[in-house]
Amino acid sequence: MASSSGNDDDLTIPRAAINKMIKETLPNVRVANDARELVVNCCTEFIHLISSEANEICNKSEKKTISPEHVINALESLGFGSYIAEVKDVLQECKTVALKRRKASSRLENLGIPEEELLRQQQELFAKARQQQAELAQQEWLQMQQAAQQAQLAAAAAASASAGQQAGSSQDEDEEDDM
Amino acid sequence: MPGQKRKYNVRFPPGRIKKIMQKDTEVGRMATAVPVIIKALEMFLISFLTKTSLITHSKNSRVMSVNHKQCIESEKLFDFLKDLAVQACGASTQKEVKAKGESELVICLETPSP
């Protein structure tokens, strides 16, 4: 692809999202490519339609920011009133989520501990954890060493036991050589 | 128990939608309104696709094509899509494209090009 972000004039909903939507809505229907393209453009058109209507309503209400209420009124006036019920549900969900988030952050503030202190505590905890890990690693290392040593000893013992038998027979020869 | 609780996995990108909305220089600020629009868009798509698929069915075709968008003509609600449909129809067939109104979409047949 030549351009990274594309022209502003070609803003559309991503094709993949539309394809997925088609698949979920009409699972058993095959849809021609040009039809999909048309659906993509219909989406953009719909967004423009609702936005501009909502914008007008917003202007009339002397407010500067388009609110969800304006959008809902726009839907009504454009004949999409049947969508309003579910749209309101979504709105409620959003409000609940936003409320929770606000509560969560204020709960944190109300702990009374300033941020620097929290940071310091965090660093402490990290240092502790690192130390514990280091100690654990060392222990494991020691254990491994011990195990290795024992294995060596056992091997040596076994080796010398068998070597001892051999040495018994070869020792006579050696004595002869030495003497 | 709710009868038809469909949970869609598709989520439209709010940032992209906001950009589309603000391409219209008249449109000012809107923050919390975007999720509402997304929901409305979703519902619109479902309604539109479903209605169109009925036409596809009635034509005994297994593939939905631009021709089936005649539902745009039949529903007043979809009037705003008329221009788009005309354009799309014009792009897919190379013959007899004159803006003559309703009959045009119905006539828009996929004749094999020589």
Side-chain angles (χ1 to χ4, degrees):
Chain A
M1 298 202 194
S3 58
S4 49
S5 53
N7 292 331
D8 268 351
D9 285 344
D10 287 341
L11 278 183
T12 56
I13 308 281
R15 184 65 165 260
I18 299 294
N19 286 342
K20 232 178 162 190
M21 193 77 198
I22 295 179
K23 189 65 184 275
E24 285 178 359
T25 312
L26 308 170
N28 298 323
V29 179
R30 289 161 67 195
V31 181
N33 215 22
D34 55 359
R36 290 177 193 268
E37 191 64 30
L38 181 55
V39 172
V40 169
N41 293 332
C42 287
C43 282
T44 312
E45 198 63 31
F46 180 78
I47 293 175
H48 281 310
L49 184 74
I50 304 295
S51 323
S52 91
E53 184 71 17
N55 193 42
E56 265 179 51
I57 295 177
C58 175
N59 289 338
K60 281 190 206 153
S61 76
E62 297 175 10
K63 291 205 183 141
K64 282 193 179 166
T65 312
I66 298 182
S67 77
E69 199 62 42
H70 297 145
V71 174
I72 290 179
N73 292 337
L75 287 174
E76 181 74 56
S77 86
L78 289 168
F80 293 105
S82 54
Y83 297 178
I84 291 186
E86 287 189 43
V87 155
K88 276 193 175 163
D89 283 344
V90 162
L91 191 55
Q92 199 50 55
E93 271 177 41
C94 287
K95 284 188 183 162
T96 316
V97 166
L99 200 63
K100 268 194 204 158
R101 231 183 284 147
R102 251 177 271 142
K103 264 197 198 156
S105 67
S106 71
R107 253 182 259 137
L108 194 60
E109 283 162 14
N110 288 342
L111 269 183
I113 305 179
E115 195 172 313
E116 303 122 0
E117 174 64 19
L118 285 173
L119 251 171
R120 196 193 65 77
Q121 288 184 2
Q122 191 185 43
Q123 302 292 49
E124 238 181 64
L125 287 169
F126 280 160
K128 240 197 218 165
R130 269 193 293 257
Q131 206 187 13
Q132 281 177 352
Q133 283 231 319
E135 282 173 13
L136 208 65
Q138 213 184 19
Q139 271 184 9
E140 283 181 3
W141 172 236
L142 279 173
Q143 282 175 356
M144 264 174 43
Q145 268 198 326
Q146 285 176 351
Q149 270 180 358
Q150 287 183 346
Q152 260 189 345
L153 286 175
S160 60
S162 59
Q165 289 174 358
Q166 286 180 3
S169 51
S170 65
Q171 226 176 14
D172 301 344
E173 294 171 17
D174 275 349
E175 277 176 29
E176 278 183 1
D177 283 343
D178 283 350
M179 306 281 269
Chain B
M1 270 233 296
Q4 273 180 339
K5 193 151 190 207
R6 289 192 233 166
K7 196 81 195 268
Y8 289 97
N9 295 323
V10 187
R11 284 288 164 250
F12 297 120
R16 181 72 70 91
I17 292 183
K18 195 168 181 183
K19 275 194 199 162
I20 296 178
M21 286 172 79
Q22 290 183 318
K23 238 185 74 184
D24 184 353
T25 49
E26 294 278 323
V27 175
R29 303 176 53 81
M30 98 290 295
T32 53
V34 177
V36 173
I37 300 226
I38 293 182
K39 184 66 188 172
L41 177 66
E42 212 175 273
M43 299 178 69
F44 162 71
L45 271 182
I46 296 172
S47 164
F48 182 54
L49 286 172
T50 309
K51 292 209 172 99
T52 307
S53 78
L54 290 178
I55 296 183
T56 310
H57 259 294
S58 74
K59 295 207 157 176
N60 289 325
S61 168
R62 287 174 62 207
V63 181
M64 181 189 293
S65 69
V66 167
N67 313 326
H68 302 154
K69 304 297 173 174
Q70 68 193 73
C71 82
I72 295 178
E73 286 290 327
S74 60
E75 296 261 346
K76 240 187 174 170
L77 200 55
F78 297 151
D79 266 357
F80 69 101
L81 297 172
K82 266 198 190 147
D83 288 339
L84 277 182
V86 165
Q87 276 177 25
C89 219
S92 63
T93 65
Q94 285 158 356
K95 306 186 180 186
E96 59 208 343
V97 179
K98 282 178 189 171
K100 275 197 174 167
E102 282 185 47
S103 51
E104 185 206 346
L105 277 171
V106 181
I107 289 177
C108 236
L109 294 173
E110 275 176 320
T111 51
S113 44

